[in-house]
Amino acid sequence: MHDVHLEGLDLNLLVALRALLTERHVTRAAARIGLTQPAMSHALARLRQLLGDPLLVRTASGMQPTPRAEAMRIPLDRALEELERVIARPAPFDPKTAKRQFTLATSDYVELTLFPRLVARLRAEAPGVDVRVLHLVERATGPLSEGRLDLAFGLTEVLVGPAAANGIRAQRIFDEKFVCVVRNGHPVVKRKLTLEDFVRLPHALVSLSGDPTGVVDEALAKIGKTRRVAVTVPHFLVAPHVVQDTDLVLTLAERVARMFSPMLGLAQFAPPLPIPGFAMSMVWHERMHSDSAHAWLRKVVKEEAKAL
DNA sequence: ACGCTACCTGTAACCATCGT
DNA sequence: ACGATGGTTACAGGTAGCGT
């Protein structure tokens, strides 16, 4: 009888067996797990058939376990307790004590703006939580659905495509607008950045792909103008350094400009034509949606993003 | 007093069929 | 291909009653 397959076995029989071995009494074992005495008697008969052992034998001093049954008592008890733990509703996420790792992905822009606050908050409130940040500026759908990524930050249309993929959730966390910067002491741009100078001067551009056109060029096209992009760099945070020692004009996210302008000696101007901003979102997989730790992380992200 | 058996009933697993 | 639907079957667990 060594080849008992679990798939053909009513696992409730093991619960009945545990009760029987604990009580050594069919009627009390039945009461213990909410069965009637005959039902437990049936269960015992099935167990006897299944295991090829009488398991409990009736004696003058009550139902006595066979050696086989006695040998099963403790391991069975442990196994069922373990099962009960597996099935038990997971404890709600407690940031103070939780051990957990989150893998996040985003561009250096979000790393600079949001992450210092976010990481500080996590360190303070959830010291057992580790964070892995990956650099990701394209589709996150794959890594998210495969579980390699918990949360990604960026533009929804870039991260999950034009038609939000199945099983992916997105939430807008903050809005950003564009400003223009040049170095202090720029030979042309003094008190104001005019449209005429803007079009005439060479530009730097953050372009992940190297494509030298962006939202600025689209806005210019609308009013029938163009500009020359002399330099593209693939990182948001390198761009301000490029204009520090050149006469290039850079249009960049306002939060980045605010951070770097004093440090690098840059002058900040409103764009001389309307340039639409963008909405930063976080995206995650449906599977993580009701995970209490993940929900907590999203709540913290939202709060810190709001405070930006 | 207590466990076992006969018989009955409700349920769920199984399978074929249907519609999308 | 897939899930919904309905009929059939197998069986766990109930009651009643018997046996030790």
Side-chain angles (χ1 to χ4, degrees), chain A residues 20-223:
Chain A
L20 284 163
L21 294 178
T22 306
E23 295 289 350
R24 298 186 175 193
H25 192 285
V26 175
T27 305
R28 284 198 294 271
R32 190 185 182 89
I33 63 170
L35 294 185
T36 60
Q37 177 273 319
M40 182 57 87
S41 185
H42 281 137
L44 178 55
R46 270 177 261 130
L47 281 161
R48 284 167 171 161
Q49 167 77 30
L50 187 76
L51 301 176
D53 187 280
L55 297 172
L56 289 162
V57 291
R58 228 176 147 173
T59 71
S61 56
M63 299 293 274
Q64 286 300 322
T66 62
R68 173 91 190 276
E70 185 53 36
M72 290 176 74
R73 193 170 58 87
I74 290 169
L76 182 65
D77 216 42
R78 291 213 183 112
L80 290 180
E81 275 173 19
E82 181 64 26
L83 260 182
E84 278 157 358
R85 271 194 296 278
V86 169
I87 293 166
R89 198 163 166 269
F93 179 74
D94 177 13
K96 282 188 182 60
T97 56
K99 295 255 184 291
R100 169 91 184 218
Q101 179 173 308
F102 288 117
T103 305
L104 315 179
T106 188
S107 64
D108 54 341
Y109 164 70
V110 174
E111 284 173 53
L112 178 79
T113 53
L114 176 66
F115 279 21
R117 304 184 61 103
L118 179 62
V119 170
R121 177 90 181 268
L122 291 177
R123 293 308 308 147
E125 290 186 22
V129 166
D130 294 339
V131 179
R132 302 285 173 266
V133 181
L134 308 180
H135 185 70
L136 181 90
V137 288
E138 56 211 5
R139 281 302 128 82
T141 322
L144 285 172
S145 36
E146 288 155 25
R148 284 186 281 127
L149 202 54
D150 293 306
L151 200 54
F153 301 87
L155 306 181
T156 314
E157 57 271 28
V158 174
L159 291 174
V160 299
N166 255 353
I168 301 286
R169 292 195 178 225
Q171 185 173 24
R172 179 182 190 153
I173 53 173
F174 65 88
D175 292 320
E176 181 62 285
K177 60 181 181 181
F178 287 106
V179 297
C180 298
V181 293
V182 297
R183 67 180 176 91
N184 278 333
H186 190 279
V188 177
V189 183
K190 305 289 187 193
R191 306 182 59 87
K192 191 171 183 295
L193 178 60
T194 64
L195 181 59
E196 190 188 5
D197 288 339
F198 187 79
V199 169
R200 189 159 54 92
L201 290 165
H203 287 250
L205 170 67
V206 178
S207 168
L208 306 168
S209 62
D211 173 13
T213 57
V215 284
V216 171
D217 302 277
E218 285 167 25
L220 284 170
K222 279 195 181 143
I223 57 170

